[in-house]
Amino acid sequence: MSKKILIEGGRALSGIIPISGAKNSCLTLMPLCILSGQSLVLQNVPYLSDVETMKDLLESLGCDVFFKKSKREIVLKLNRENLFEANYEIVRKMRASILVLGPLLAKYGQAIVALPGGCAIGTRPVNLHLQALEALGASFSIDNGYIKGLVQGKLKGARIEFPFKSVGATANVIMAAVLAKGSTEIFNAAQEPEIIDLCNCLLKMGCKIEGAGANKIVIEGVDNLGEVCHKVIMDRIELGTYILAGAISYSNIKLTGGELAPLKSFVEKLSNMGIELEEDMGLISVKRNCEKIRPVNIETQPYPGFPTDLQAQIMALLSIAEGESTIEENIFENRFMHVPELNRMGANIKTQGRKAIIRGVAELKGVPVVATDLRASVSLVLAGLVAKGETLIDEIHHLDRGYEHLVLKLNECGAKIGRV
Ligand code: EPZ
């Protein structure tokens, strides 16, 4: 696959873009095949390199994984038991690999998972995962870069209170608690739609869970889980990204397969900026009802607040707003890697710690830039759609991790993007 893409800016788009299944829900659901040992069929699965990486990891843990890409369906089934080591070579490629820890501990009472390194956006510690699983009875040691987990007997239900919300830690402890003995209460649980999707799938597998999507989740452990066929929810971050593609390029694009409800805080901000969205019969239309974009102030928060995963993307739009905007990134400590690249394109953005100050400019210029992480890379694509001239983006493997057929979807709406 080529490393670079070239975008010709200034083209208005029009057409219909289908929204795919949620990457972050797939990566959380796939390890359930370890928990149940039964057939797990997931539908509406996007064809992404992260899904391939999770497939490789689960295969190394004894699962048969059959990904029918054309049907967007993946069938998983644990075939060889007692493989519980997630090796560094795979884990280093994708931090979400840590999501096999809870299932392995619940299934085998032991697990060896490489410590996921940090990434461009932060150190990404897993202390909350380990503390929550310890509350259920696991004990951990860390040696030469591996987390070694052990359970004497079975995991036992417990009261768990997170000091702050963590999507991954909430998912891991839910997946461990469903097979634990007794009941588990989770306080300050993450409330993301992906957590609700995980719980809905587990309920269909025979689990007893109350409060999915709320601050407090109560789980009654069961002895075993059944097989399930589950349709993955739509990707709200992909949807928000394409809405911004329409807004930034004065386009008339419609989006199918998505819904605005999970993007309430994002939609409110867009409305303050002068971008109105219409939703009718499953079709979402983007309307830019004013010449210039109005500046706004944004603070990223856990769900239902403004999603950190749309921060880089909306910054591209704010860089051509009329006036000064601010963005406070409260979730990750280093998620402004796109700022120097946007500034190379003529944006005027200053960062002070967790705060970015964006002074809108009249025009961005197409120049060579480098993608640093998944959402930064797509923010450069958005800027490239509106920049004057051609934008060459390097290291675009980041894009393929989280956006299924992005170049195709945009070119079919009249964009001119080529892989070089
Ligand atoms: C999930 O990551 C998503 N990834 C991220 O999406 C998303 O940005 C993030 O949730 C926040 O919504 C997947 O679902 C695979 P967290 P996760 O635990 O679970 C700190 C994308 O672009 N923390 O909610 O890793 C952490 O460092 C990706 O699709 C600890 O300190 O996020 C962060 O500052 C990027 N200790 C904050 O909590 C822990 O044990 C929130 O992280 C765990 C997390």
Side-chain angles (χ1 to χ4, degrees), residues 88-274:
Y88 177 62
E89 277 321 301
I90 299 181
V91 174
R92 67 193 286 250
K93 276 202 282 189
M94 184 184 64
R95 298 193 64 272
S97 305
I98 191 71
L99 291 168
V100 300
L101 182 60
L104 290 172
L105 285 173
K107 177 78 179 171
Y108 302 122
Q110 54 185 328
I112 302 172
V113 177
L115 257 180
C119 69
I121 63 177
T123 53
R124 313 291 296 274
V126 291
N127 57 317
L128 298 187
H129 297 243
L130 303 187
Q131 285 160 19
L133 293 167
E134 278 167 349
L136 294 178
S139 55
F140 294 102
S141 62
I142 310 242
D143 44 45
N144 55 47
Y146 277 81
I147 303 166
K148 294 190 174 170
L150 213 50
V151 182
Q152 302 302 337
K154 243 169 106 85
L155 290 168
K156 289 180 188 54
R159 183 188 193 285
I160 290 158
E161 178 141 14
F162 284 115
F164 52 85
K165 290 184 189 289
S166 159
V167 177
T170 301
N172 243 331
V173 80
I174 289 172
M175 292 192 281
V178 293
L179 285 183
K181 198 166 175 45
S183 79
T184 295
E185 290 182 321
I186 305 169
F187 294 87
N188 208 10
Q191 300 176 249
E192 273 70 5
E194 291 74 29
I195 293 293
I196 300 176
D197 204 27
L198 170 66
C199 292
N200 286 341
C201 185
L202 283 166
L203 286 167
K204 289 196 271 187
M205 295 166 78
C207 293
K208 292 183 182 124
I209 303 173
E210 277 171 32
N215 205 41
K216 175 184 172 186
I217 298 178
V218 181
I219 297 168
E220 204 56 49
V222 294
D223 293 331
N224 47 52
L225 308 177
E227 63 180 36
V228 69
C229 177
H230 179 76
K231 183 180 180 196
V232 173
I233 53 171
M234 61 102 190
D235 194 318
R236 60 196 167 97
I237 304 304
E238 187 198 26
L239 173 59
T241 303
Y242 284 118
I243 287 171
L244 289 166
I248 205 167
S249 59
Y250 270 96
S251 297
N252 170 20
I253 56 173
K254 297 190 183 329
L255 303 152
T256 58
E259 51 164 345
L260 291 176
L263 285 173
K264 198 165 165 298
S265 52
F266 170 75
V267 172
E268 276 165 19
K269 283 297 173 190
L270 280 188
S271 168
N272 300 344
M273 294 164 70

Side-chain angles (χ1 to χ4, degrees), residues 227-415:
E227 63 180 36
V228 69
C229 177
H230 179 76
K231 183 180 180 196
V232 173
I233 53 171
M234 61 102 190
D235 194 318
R236 60 196 167 97
I237 304 304
E238 187 198 26
L239 173 59
T241 303
Y242 284 118
I243 287 171
L244 289 166
I248 205 167
S249 59
Y250 270 96
S251 297
N252 170 20
I253 56 173
K254 297 190 183 329
L255 303 152
T256 58
E259 51 164 345
L260 291 176
L263 285 173
K264 198 165 165 298
S265 52
F266 170 75
V267 172
E268 276 165 19
K269 283 297 173 190
L270 280 188
S271 168
N272 300 344
M273 294 164 70
I275 311 285
E276 290 312 324
L277 301 175
E278 273 174 23
E279 188 169 20
D280 176 30
M281 309 286 286
L283 211 53
I284 295 170
S285 317
V286 192
K287 292 209 173 327
R288 181 162 161 183
N289 61 10
C290 63
E291 182 56 25
K292 284 300 278 179
I293 302 289
R294 292 193 291 268
V296 292
N297 298 323
I298 291 172
E299 293 182 16
T300 64
Q301 294 297 344
Y303 194 88
F306 190 96
T308 175
D309 291 349
L310 282 170
Q311 178 259 107
Q313 297 93 311
I314 203 159
M315 189 185 282
L317 183 57
L318 288 171
S319 66
I320 55 167
E322 193 163 63
E324 180 176 295
S325 304
T326 62
I327 294 184
E328 202 170 302
E329 172 51 64
N330 295 308
I331 308 296
F332 291 106
E333 69 269 25
N334 185 35
R335 202 169 199 175
F336 286 146
M337 307 283 279
H338 42 287
V339 169
E341 301 305 311
L342 290 170
N343 283 342
R344 276 180 49 75
M345 299 178 73
N348 180 355
I349 307 167
K350 290 190 177 23
T351 57
Q352 293 156 1
R354 284 180 180 265
K355 197 159 193 168
I357 298 137
I358 304 112
R359 287 189 186 81
V361 294
E363 184 176 78
L364 295 177
K365 299 237 173 354
V367 296
V369 288
V370 178
T372 49
D373 58 271
L374 168 57
R375 306 304 174 180
S377 54
V378 84
S379 127
L380 299 176
V381 172
L382 298 180
L385 290 175
V386 72
K388 190 169 173 52
E390 292 189 326
T391 303
L392 182 65
I393 305 179
D394 199 352
E395 303 299 335
I396 50 111
H397 60 278
H398 293 290
L399 263 186
D400 298 322
R401 292 191 53 179
Y403 289 94
E404 182 185 46
H405 303 321
L406 176 128
V407 172
L408 181 72
K409 289 183 178 182
L410 287 172
N411 282 348
E412 285 188 343
C413 288

